[in-house]
Amino acid sequence: MKKRYKILVTNDDGYEANGLLSLVDTLRAIEGVEVTVVAPANEKSACGHSLTLVRPLRFVSVGDDFYKLDDGTPSDCVYLSLSTMYEDKKPDLLISGINRGSNMGEDITYSGTAAGAMEAVLHDVPAIAISQVMDFTNPAGDFSLACKTIKQMVIKIKNGSFPLPAREFLNINIPSEKTEAEIKITYAGYRFYANDSHVHRNPRGEEHYWLGLHPLNFSPRKDKEHLMSDYEAIERGFISITPIMLDLSAYKSIKGLENWLDMRE
């Protein structure tokens, strides 16, 4: 009997998200692929690489090989799945997404979608995070190009090998309103942020705040002129694939920091 290629799927938009359901349908249509879904019960966008340590978690079955994790994060979903469902044999691949909205530049550090992939590669499971730039006036979203792209990637990996070393994952961003697009290999761009919050008052006069959404404002890095950033690729209508590593060490600053520490007061 031919070995099944096992894929674990998660996301940060919740188990009912259209992007997740489109991804699962696409993967299950690939010959020889076995898909297990473990996704948050609720939306966990921008939760980062967080684990739940202060309360118990519970898998709830919502379909065949499809579970929601009661109030869990994407990292919880991956961590618990690997330690309970895959005790004997790890999955061949983890896919996190398809996220509703982009995950580019430093937004990767906020992203629950990226965090699901981060958690996987910490456990030596190859991983892909995939996000779709969205027109948020369209509640359903069009994930056709994202599905076509992830199918292409999965077949290439399944029939060959994963292209990155340990503790690195692929971060894919899909441009909005495109049915065909060329792929560009990119680096994570430099994002401009602003503090945007909106105050509201309840009937008792108590204040509460909503955090606002920042516009996608990026700047190219001056030392990377020979490469294209993820934002530049998306802006030009390309699919962006960025290799992301978990090592956050600022190697270029080590010597300067040593010199600073040795300086006399």
Side-chain angles (χ1 to χ4, degrees):
M1 184 176 177
K2 196 170 182 181
K3 176 187 170 186
R4 304 284 287 176
Y5 189 82
K6 296 185 177 182
I7 301 178
L8 175 61
V9 173
T10 194
N11 77 339
D12 74 356
D13 289 328
Y15 75 103
E16 296 178 300
N18 289 330
L20 174 74
L21 300 179
S22 298
L23 170 64
V24 172
D25 288 344
T26 297
L27 296 177
R28 286 182 170 167
I30 301 174
E31 184 179 358
V33 166
E34 179 180 308
V35 179
T36 300
V37 184
V38 181
N42 308 301
E43 182 173 346
K44 293 291 181 178
S45 295
C47 69
H49 194 185
S50 59
L51 289 173
T52 301
L53 304 177
V54 296
R55 62 182 180 277
L57 298 166
R58 183 170 66 99
F59 292 107
V60 180
S61 177
V62 295
D64 293 339
D65 296 319
F66 198 130
Y67 303 87
K68 65 179 180 179
L69 194 62
D70 202 11
D71 205 29
T73 68
S75 298
D76 288 329
C77 292
V78 177
Y79 184 98
L80 279 181
S81 298
L82 295 180
S83 63
T84 57
M85 300 178 181
Y86 297 94
E87 291 180 279
D88 299 324
K89 176 72 169 66
K90 294 176 182 176
D92 297 292
L93 183 67
L94 176 284
I95 302 178
S96 185
I98 301 165
N99 188 65
R100 188 167 179 262
S102 65
N103 279 302
M104 301 183 290
E106 291 89 349
D107 281 355
I108 295 166
T109 64
Y110 291 107
S111 168
T113 304
M118 290 178 190
E119 189 63 32
V121 298
L122 286 176
H123 298 275
D124 297 320
V125 176
I128 300 172
I130 180 166
S131 303
Q132 168 74 58
V133 180
M134 297 296 296
D135 173 6
F136 285 97
T137 62
N138 179 3
D142 180 0
F143 298 98
S144 56
L145 180 56
C147 288
K148 180 179 178 180
T149 302
I150 199 65
K151 180 179 180 180
Q152 176 186 347
M153 293 294 107
V154 168
I155 291 173
K156 187 173 182 63
I157 293 167
K158 175 177 175 289
N159 295 338
S161 61
F162 191 71
L164 300 179
R167 303 210 174 195
E168 295 184 12
F169 68 91
L170 296 174
N171 187 49
I172 302 177
N173 281 277
I174 305 294
S176 180
E177 300 178 355
K178 300 272 284 189
T179 56
E180 296 286 341
E182 184 182 347
I183 293 174
K184 294 292 185 181
I185 305 303
T186 61
Y187 68 90
Y190 187 88
R191 177 79 187 270
F192 292 122
Y193 289 93
N195 290 323
D196 183 22
S197 61
H198 303 271
V199 64
H200 297 264
R201 291 174 177 81
N202 66 18
R204 297 183 180 181
E206 297 169 326
E207 291 184 353
H208 58 274
Y209 292 85
W210 283 96
L211 299 186
L213 291 175
H214 307 296
L216 287 175
N217 292 328
F218 283 80
S219 172
R221 299 183 190 271
K222 292 183 178 179
D223 59 339
K224 301 288 190 297
E225 288 91 347
H226 60 296
L227 298 172
M228 185 180 293
S229 74
D230 46 12
Y231 176 72
E232 290 173 294
I234 290 297
E235 191 177 41
R236 299 179 192 180
F238 298 120
I239 295 166
S240 166
I241 301 183
T242 309
I244 300 295
M245 61 189 295
L246 270 61
D247 185 351
L248 301 179
S249 305
Y251 290 101
K252 291 181 179 180
S253 298
I254 288 176
K255 188 62 180 177
L257 186 57
E258 289 175 341
N259 294 337
W260 173 82
L261 193 62
D262 289 339
M263 289 176 62
R264 295 181 180 273
E265 294 292 336

